Amino acid sequence: MPDLPQDSIFTLNRESDIDQFLHSNHKWVNSMNSAHPVLFDQYNGKGQDPHTLLISCSDSRYNENCFGVLPGEIFTLKTVANICHADDLSLLATIEFAVLQLKVSKIIILGHTDCGGIKTCLTNKRKDLPSQNCGHLFKYLTELDTLVNDVNKKNENNFVDLPIEEKSKILSIKNVENQFNNINTIDTVKEGISNSTLQVFGMLYNVNTGLIEKCV
Ligand SMILES: [Zn+2]
């Protein structure tokens, strides 16, 4: 468990009951209505017209809000370690929905620093997952484990001697590049790029600062 401050700034916790979730929802609706009185009634209530598909990690520390957008702007798929297997039915369906039905003009693959999936492979803890009843996660992280082994083996710029946070960030960027390449093999994406209706970007969110940098 991370060492977080005792007096939490967070809204809910593991002990919160469902009434507290609903109460929190009401407070959020009130704040949204104060800031954007027309959002629900005149925009979200009439349908969605998102401009972008965001594919990010399932990590709780970031989502589409890091671009400062409102509900209705970004269509989102979150996967562990933002892995995009080109044969993943959920990914393919999401891309078809976003690109062909909703006509988004951009796909952004947004990885992040301090990624748990990457760190699990980097610290050689992936091998312990099957004994922790996490066999699916073990299998799912195979691609990242291969990436970690490759980067260690190549040892460019003395990678093996770097502090773990630096290693982790380098691997997060390489993972974004790999997922960017995976996405670009999908027919729907290739067609969108070739007819100039779609652009694909790979980016990294920094959990320490909230800032985003472009990778590819
Ligand atoms: Zn992650």
Side-chain angles (χ1 to χ4, degrees), residues 67-147:
F67 287 106
V69 295
L70 287 172
E73 292 193 53
I74 295 189
F75 200 71
T76 303
L77 176 69
K78 285 188 145 229
T79 72
V80 171
N82 45 279
I83 288 173
C84 304
H85 289 143
D87 59 353
D88 178 337
L89 186 59
S90 179
L91 173 72
L92 293 169
T94 301
I95 286 176
E96 286 177 8
F97 196 166
V99 175
L100 300 178
Q101 304 294 328
L102 297 170
K103 314 283 185 197
V104 299
S105 65
K106 291 180 192 65
I107 297 178
I108 297 175
I109 300 160
L110 185 59
H112 70 105
T113 58
D114 194 41
C115 182
I118 286 171
K119 277 197 158 170
T120 298
C121 297
L122 187 55
T123 55
N124 206 24
K125 289 184 178 146
R126 175 174 170 264
K127 64 177 177 7
D128 302 327
L129 291 172
S131 65
Q132 297 163 354
N133 287 330
C134 294
H136 294 101
L137 184 56
F138 174 82
K139 192 175 168 191
Y140 188 81
L141 294 177
T142 301
E143 182 184 327
L144 281 185
D145 203 51
T146 304
L147 172 66

Side-chain angles (χ1 to χ4, degrees), residues 29-43:
V29 168
N30 288 339
S31 70
M32 290 299 284
N33 279 331
S34 300
H36 308 283
V38 296
L39 174 69
F40 294 120
D41 184 44
Q42 293 180 38
Y43 287 84

Side-chain angles (χ1 to χ4, degrees), residues 163-181:
I164 185 150
E165 294 308 327
E166 279 185 54
K167 286 183 179 177
S168 167
K169 183 177 179 184
I170 289 169
L171 287 164
S172 286
I173 292 170
K174 287 186 182 294
N175 182 42
V176 166
E177 290 167 356
N178 286 347
Q179 305 318 322
F180 174 88
N181 292 335

